[in-house]
Amino acid sequence: MPKPSLVDKTVLIDDSDIDLFIQRRFLEVYNFSNELFLYKSAEEALSWLKNINGDPAPDIIFLDLNMPEIDGFSFLKNFKDLPEKIQTHSKIVVLTSSNSTKDRDQAFTFNNVIQFITKPLKQTDIEELKKLINKN
């Protein structure tokens, strides 16, 4: 019998097809989530989240910082305009190629950010995330 997923609904936001593919496969292998939603832009993801209506809010949002048009920090600033159920339920994991302390510090100024991971995702990152999720 397969072990239950850690969370029900996860969103991946990254402008790179390759990164989305790798992250999705990694999360599938670790049975991280029952459902995975992939978005190539912060704008698409925000639009989807704004119109989520009766559907459950995602548990975890993996967010890249360096994207064209709307970057990860702009997504975080716009997050406060999303429906309240998303703001209260969804946790954000910044998953980026940046290893800048400034980016890390700035990301953690946003309430919903629970973890900052430098790509690629690793097993240790998932283990840490499991601990964080189980505490909340």
Side-chain angles (χ1 to χ4, degrees):
M1 185 164 163
K3 65 181 184 172
S5 298
L6 186 61
V7 299
D8 191 47
K9 196 175 196 176
T10 298
V11 175
L12 291 171
I13 306 169
D14 198 314
D15 60 314
S16 159
D17 283 326
I18 292 168
D19 285 347
L20 278 174
F21 176 80
I22 292 168
Q23 291 158 188
R24 187 188 85 217
R25 289 294 306 133
F26 191 84
L27 293 173
E28 287 170 349
V29 165
Y30 281 93
N31 199 28
F32 185 82
S33 185
N34 292 326
E35 288 185 285
L36 281 173
F37 295 84
L38 280 57
Y39 291 95
K40 285 196 60 172
S41 77
E43 195 171 19
E44 277 180 56
L46 284 166
S47 174
W48 177 73
L49 288 164
K50 275 182 193 144
N51 297 304
I52 206 160
N53 300 330
D55 291 338
D59 300 293
I60 299 290
I61 299 171
F62 285 95
L63 176 67
D64 185 21
L65 291 181
N66 305 312
M67 294 183 285
E69 288 143 45
I70 298 178
D71 69 1
F73 287 117
S74 296
F75 175 92
L76 290 168
K77 288 177 186 127
N78 283 294
F79 193 81
K80 68 183 180 330
D81 299 328
L82 293 173
E84 189 179 338
K85 73 174 180 181
I86 293 170
Q87 293 182 50
T88 56
H89 183 78
S90 301
K91 302 295 177 221
I92 298 172
V93 174
V94 172
L95 180 60
T96 181
S97 51
S98 168
N99 59 4
S100 149
T101 308
K102 183 176 168 272
D103 283 351
R104 171 186 274 278
D105 292 346
Q106 187 178 348
F108 280 117
T109 65
F110 294 89
N111 293 341
N112 292 64
V113 174
I114 60 166
Q115 195 174 25
F116 186 100
I117 298 171
T118 302
K119 291 178 189 174
L121 258 178
K122 297 171 283 313
Q123 184 176 356
T124 53
D125 297 324
I126 296 297
E127 296 304 322
E128 284 297 309
L129 199 47
K130 278 182 186 175
K131 289 177 197 159
L132 285 170
I133 291 168
N134 290 330
K135 271 199 301 198
N136 293 331

